[in-house]
Amino acid sequence: MSLLMQRKGPALPLPRLDGKEVLVGPDPSIAKVKGVMFGGRKQFLTDVGGDEVFYSVLAKLSPRSLQYTRTPLASSWCEFESLIELDRAIYDTLHAKYPNVLALIGAASAELGIGRVYKSLDTVELVKYMENIALFNSQYQKFGRVKFEKTASGGKMIFTDYPVYSPIYCASGAGYFLESILRHGGTEPSVVETKCQTLGDSSCTYEMTWK
Ligand SMILES: [Zn+2]
């Protein structure tokens, strides 16, 4: 289970789900994400609610998205549209119980990717991890560019040139970064998306701080 999910204390701010959504874009061949993201969500659903919750989410999906989720193929490319359909179905199923379920989905992905938990803050490793996210972005999504900038009290992750976007995707991204900070031993993590392409900004910029 992700550290974000186990965390006591002040509730996270609720996701902002307004904003524009583009699911296919002008070039559908690049509107794709890696199958491993579906695998992470399957794991999350099974951990949180067992088969019952997993199958109730599957029942809401169209055939293609259902197939990606039931039998995820980690290295295959899958339509962004299907990932958003899945995340929306998860949100509809679980947000009454977990208002921040989208952040928890992102956290589960970071948990899978990082594995270990650092006992105390290792800023060097955390910054290296963030830089690698930027470096290997194209292995996880076929679109957009990303750059990480270190700041005095944390860092900034800046995503640009998205032909497809959704506030649902941005909300899970915030959870991904929160979990990344927590697993590297950071305390009092804060992740705020201060600019967003779904609101017409030229980037999705996550400003992160930790102690
Ligand atoms: Zn955004």
Side-chain angles (χ1 to χ4, degrees):
M1 193 194 287
S2 68
L3 297 175
L4 190 62
M5 185 128 180
Q6 297 169 43
R7 200 154 176 261
K8 311 261 190 305
L12 293 172
L14 291 176
R16 166 189 62 73
L17 293 177
D18 58 342
K20 199 178 152 210
E21 191 171 71
V22 175
L23 294 175
V24 179
D27 179 359
S29 73
I30 63 163
K32 302 219 169 158
V33 296
K34 253 320 158 48
V36 69
M37 295 194 192
F38 291 82
R41 282 145 173 86
K42 178 179 183 178
Q43 179 77 48
F44 169 77
L45 288 170
T46 311
D47 288 350
V48 165
D51 283 351
E52 193 187 325
V53 165
F54 182 56
Y55 286 105
S56 71
V57 169
L58 286 187
K60 294 179 173 152
L61 301 177
S62 63
R64 183 182 70 191
S65 307
L66 184 141
Q67 195 197 324
Y68 288 156
T69 310
R70 192 172 47 196
T71 319
L73 299 170
S75 60
S76 66
W77 287 107
C78 306
E79 286 74 9
F80 177 77
E81 185 179 23
S82 274
L83 189 71
I84 301 307
E85 185 190 344
L86 170 59
D87 284 0
R88 186 166 275 125
I90 295 174
Y91 181 79
D92 291 345
T93 307
L94 290 174
H95 84 277
K97 189 168 178 194
Y98 303 103
N100 280 296
V101 66
L102 295 171
L104 296 176
I105 292 172
S109 272
E111 179 189 9
L112 271 182
I114 300 169
R116 67 169 291 193
V117 178
Y118 292 72
K119 284 203 182 74
S120 56
L121 177 62
D122 191 332
T123 298
V124 175
E125 281 299 318
L126 176 52
V127 166
K128 201 193 298 172
Y129 183 78
M130 295 289 180
E131 286 168 349
N132 280 341
I133 291 175
L135 204 57
F136 297 115
N137 182 61
S138 61
Q139 294 185 6
Y140 295 96
Q141 54 187 52
K142 274 195 179 179
F143 54 88
R145 290 185 300 143
V146 51
K147 156 171 101 167
F148 176 74
E149 285 174 8
K150 176 97 186 69
T151 60
S153 51
K156 253 188 212 186
M157 195 70 80
I158 304 162
F159 296 90
T160 52
D161 295 333
Y162 274 25
V164 285
Y165 42 79
S166 164
I168 296 254
Y169 196 58
C170 296
S172 69
Y176 184 94
F177 296 126
L178 281 168
E179 180 73 14
S180 302
I181 295 168
L182 290 169
R183 291 192 101 75
H184 285 88
T187 55
E188 300 174 49
S190 163
V191 176
V192 180
E193 194 186 19
T194 53
K195 289 184 186 166
C196 185
Q197 294 168 100
T198 73
L199 298 176
D201 295 325
S202 60
S203 69
C204 288
T205 297
Y206 293 88
E207 299 201 10
M208 303 180 260
T209 58
W210 58 79
K211 285 180 180 168

